[in-house]
Amino acid sequence: MDSLKNLFENLTLGADEISALESENGSIPSLTRSKFMRYFSDGVRVEYENEYFLKRRRLAARFMLCKADFDKYISELCDIILSICGEFTWALPAHISVPENAGTEIDLFAAETAQTLAEIKYLMGDTLPSAISDRISREIEKRVITPFETGTFSWERSGSNWAAVCGGCVGMTLMYEKPEAFEKNRERLKHVMTSYLNGFYADGACREGLSYWTYGFGYFMYFVRAYEEYSGDKNTVAGIKKIRNIARFQQNMYLGGGSAVSFSDSSREFTYQPALAALINEHFGFSVPDGKFASRFDECSRFAHFVRSYLWRDTKICGGENADFCYYENSQWYINKKSAYSFAAKGGDNGESHNHNDIGSFIISVRGEQALVDFGAGEYTRDYFSDKRYVNLVCSSLGHSVPIIDGGGQETGEEFRAERAKGDENTFALDISGAYKRGEIFRKFDLAENFVTLTDTIKFHGSVHTVKERFVTLAPPVMRD
């Protein structure tokens, strides 16, 4: 962790950076209980969450501006820290089942808030007023450290981004705030990180999508870096083949011109976090293809991404290998980049984390724009993560380029899966019958240099059935010949 502090102490902000940070001004958002409880009455998330993330955004901006003019901004920084310390919970309502227990619930954002405040305290050292430092320590102890030491949480056994983010943030918080507690829980936290890695097949594909790869693997690598410095153990992950495969995932999702593979709850735009890219380059030697790095403020104003984007801003991380062809055999993700277009298709099952019912779905990207599109993530609401999820077009197979059988789409659940998937440099083929449980449906893509041929072979037995082919695009289609 000393290298992080050294980088911060030697950081000098440019005029443009200062100007951008100063634009993040305004009053401290008020997180009221009525806004919090609205989620439980009508399922709306954005009203409370927008205010929550805006406050974290202003916290990060004022923290960094203290590097430019400490005397001018330290008072504002302390005001925001005290406001966050006074929140009745650091968790989001969407992650809480019983509102009365919200104060000691460690969700993604309670863990991130603890890590943020602990890191601010660590990086600022004695320059942060002692009363503020003491308040930070008391709130972290009450809201995160004590609940973690006295309880267990479902994310500890999760194979999703939750394990990496919650485990990584709790681990870094303990290293900063209470090293003796970290020693006591060292093996427990290692098991949490192992649970995260167990959520991947050996091929390293993140079936939650590229956005959640950035989130989960980002905090995994931030924890790894902190642990290596804390323990003195170097290169703890570089030689592990599965982790190397996970680390390579990002560059394989690049479709050219700013477009990305947007399967699951992901984005169609290819962006990367510079700090994560720098750590991957340092540990594994991989560089991202040319693209644009994500805004220093991501959609949730995550401090770990934000501060590290300054500390590794001068690291060369672009211009890496961008393989023309990649097939994730275990996960059944197929990516092929021709000179005229890029193509991606997937099999898998319909019970994956952040699942869409999309077996056999595909993307064709031309000059950085998806011509045949996978929408990626929809708006997050209570219904989006309930049994109503597949009423939403972007999650339903009706919102993907797959067949509609007898007026209906694919079924939901891990048992509904693709079989006999095979991919090579010019062909991807798979049996998608198992997604429908009606008839036999075999889908094959043949890729030439300037076009794709799709062949669906569909057989029914006995009664009459109807088949409709659906192709999803954001561009008005034009029929020719």
Side-chain angles (χ1 to χ4, degrees):
M1 295 184 287
D2 288 344
S3 68
L4 195 72
K5 193 164 189 176
N6 290 336
L7 287 168
F8 178 71
E9 289 176 348
N10 293 318
L11 176 67
T12 301
L13 298 177
D16 290 343
E17 292 173 321
I18 294 171
S19 177
L21 290 166
E22 287 180 331
S23 69
E24 301 291 340
N25 54 19
S27 60
I28 300 174
S30 175
L31 298 178
T32 64
R33 188 176 187 278
S34 60
K35 291 177 183 176
F36 182 89
M37 293 302 295
R38 187 179 173 191
Y39 171 81
F40 298 96
S41 61
D42 59 19
V44 173
R45 295 177 57 157
V46 294
E47 182 179 19
Y48 183 84
E49 290 183 8
N50 285 348
E51 297 287 295
Y52 181 101
F53 297 136
L54 179 59
K55 185 187 283 192
R56 270 70 181 164
R57 186 182 182 105
R58 290 183 175 159
L59 168 72
R62 290 304 178 262
F63 164 78
M64 193 57 69
L65 280 168
C66 284
K67 284 292 295 180
D69 192 333
F70 183 85
D71 292 337
K72 180 177 180 180
Y73 292 106
I74 184 60
S75 180
E76 293 180 20
L77 174 65
C78 291
D79 286 346
I80 297 176
I81 290 174
L82 289 176
S83 177
I84 290 175
C85 286
E87 292 171 359
F88 61 92
T89 179
W90 288 343
L92 292 186
H95 299 157
I96 295 169
S97 56
V98 182
E100 290 74 17
N101 298 337
T104 56
E105 186 67 41
I106 306 178
D107 75 332
L108 296 165
F109 297 99
E112 284 184 40
T113 300
Q115 185 270 335
T116 296
L117 294 177
E119 194 159 275
I120 287 174
K121 178 183 167 184
Y122 170 74
L123 292 175
M124 296 192 72
D126 294 339
T127 64
L128 190 66
S130 59
I132 303 299
S133 294
D134 292 345
R135 180 68 186 278
I136 286 173
S137 294
R138 290 198 303 273
E139 294 301 328
I140 289 174
E141 179 75 36
K142 177 178 67 176
R143 297 169 186 263
V144 173
I145 295 178
T146 297
F148 179 72
E149 291 198 286
T150 58
T152 57
F153 296 86
S154 60
W155 47 258
E156 296 185 54
R157 301 174 298 279
S158 169
S160 74
N161 63 86
W162 276 69
V165 175
C166 295
C169 284
V170 169
M172 286 185 282
T173 299
L174 291 176
M175 289 182 218
Y176 288 130
E177 283 289 306
K178 202 172 181 181
E180 67 275 16
F182 178 80
E183 288 299 327
K184 179 182 175 182
N185 292 282
R186 184 193 291 231
E187 292 306 312
R188 178 183 176 188
L189 288 163
K190 284 186 176 181
H191 284 304
V192 175
M193 292 305 181
T194 298
S195 294
Y196 168 67
L197 297 175
N198 288 341
F200 293 83
Y201 291 136
D203 60 19
C206 180
R207 289 168 292 153
E208 295 182 289
L210 179 57
S211 298
Y212 280 98
W213 174 91
T214 302
Y215 190 22
F217 198 62
Y219 277 89
F220 175 83
M221 287 302 299
Y222 300 154
F223 172 80
V224 165
R225 177 61 175 263
Y227 176 75
E228 288 178 344
E229 294 199 12
Y230 172 89
S231 65
D233 297 335
K234 300 300 182 183
N235 299 320
T236 57
V237 296
I240 301 174
K241 182 178 179 181
K242 183 176 182 178
I243 301 180
R244 290 183 65 83
N245 288 341
I246 296 169
R248 192 183 279 116
F249 178 75
Q250 175 175 245
Q251 63 201 61
N252 288 331
M253 295 302 103
Y254 180 64
L255 296 179
S259 179
V261 175
S262 50
F263 297 147
S264 303
D265 280 343
S266 197
S267 169
R268 298 191 300 275
E269 183 180 31
F270 183 86
T271 58
Y272 62 88
Q273 285 292 340
L276 173 56
L279 286 178
I280 288 174
N281 184 273
E282 176 185 316
H283 283 76
F284 306 99
F286 304 147
S287 297
V288 294
D290 291 333
K292 72 173 187 178
F293 76 79
S295 168
R296 287 194 161 104
F297 292 109
D298 73 358
E299 69 279 3
C300 297
S301 303
R302 294 184 174 94
F303 183 81
H305 288 325
F306 168 83
V307 69
R308 287 162 177 78
S309 75
Y310 286 92
L311 303 184
W312 276 285
R313 64 185 175 185
D314 297 325
T315 305
K316 178 173 170 47
I317 52 180
C318 287
E321 65 175 278
N322 183 20
D324 292 335
F325 166 67
C326 174
Y327 179 46
Y328 288 98
E329 186 173 0
N330 303 125
S331 305
Q332 299 177 346
W333 284 32
Y334 178 94
I335 303 95
N336 202 327
K337 301 156 194 174
K338 301 293 187 182
S339 57
Y341 65 93
S342 293
F343 176 87
K346 73 179 295 292
D349 66 69
N350 283 340
E352 298 165 344
S353 181
H354 286 274
N355 179 69
H356 292 195
N357 286 347
D358 58 356
I359 295 171
S361 180
F362 65 101
I363 298 166
I364 295 178
S365 179
V366 181
R367 294 183 294 276
E369 296 287 340
Q370 291 189 10
L372 290 178
V373 65
D374 188 304
F375 290 122
E379 180 185 344
Y380 283 11
T381 64
R382 182 174 58 188
D383 287 351
Y384 194 82
F385 292 100
S386 74
D387 57 5
K388 299 179 182 178
R389 180 178 179 89
Y390 299 100
V391 175
N392 191 308
L393 183 69
V394 303
C395 297
S396 166
S397 66
L398 301 181
H400 292 80
S401 296
V402 294
I404 300 170
I405 308 297
D406 296 331
Q410 297 180 7
E411 304 291 341
T412 304
E414 187 177 0
E415 67 273 25
F416 299 99
R417 59 177 54 248
E419 303 287 350
R420 296 187 292 156
K422 293 183 179 181
D424 59 35
E425 292 190 7
N426 292 306
T427 304
F428 180 54
L430 68 171
D431 184 343
I432 64 174
S433 309
Y436 297 87
K437 299 299 184 184
R438 294 190 295 277
E440 300 175 25
I441 310 169
F442 190 78
R443 171 160 274 204
K444 183 183 178 186
F445 302 94
D446 290 294
L447 280 67
E449 286 304 313
N450 294 306
F451 61 91
V452 179
T453 302
L454 166 63
T455 305
D456 281 346
T457 304
I458 304 176
K459 298 179 181 179
F460 297 112
H461 305 283
S463 57
V464 176
H465 298 265
T466 62
V467 177
K468 184 179 292 185
E469 292 283 10
R470 172 156 291 182
F471 302 99
V472 182
T473 179
L474 296 173
V478 177
M479 301 297 291
R480 291 179 179 167
D481 299 328

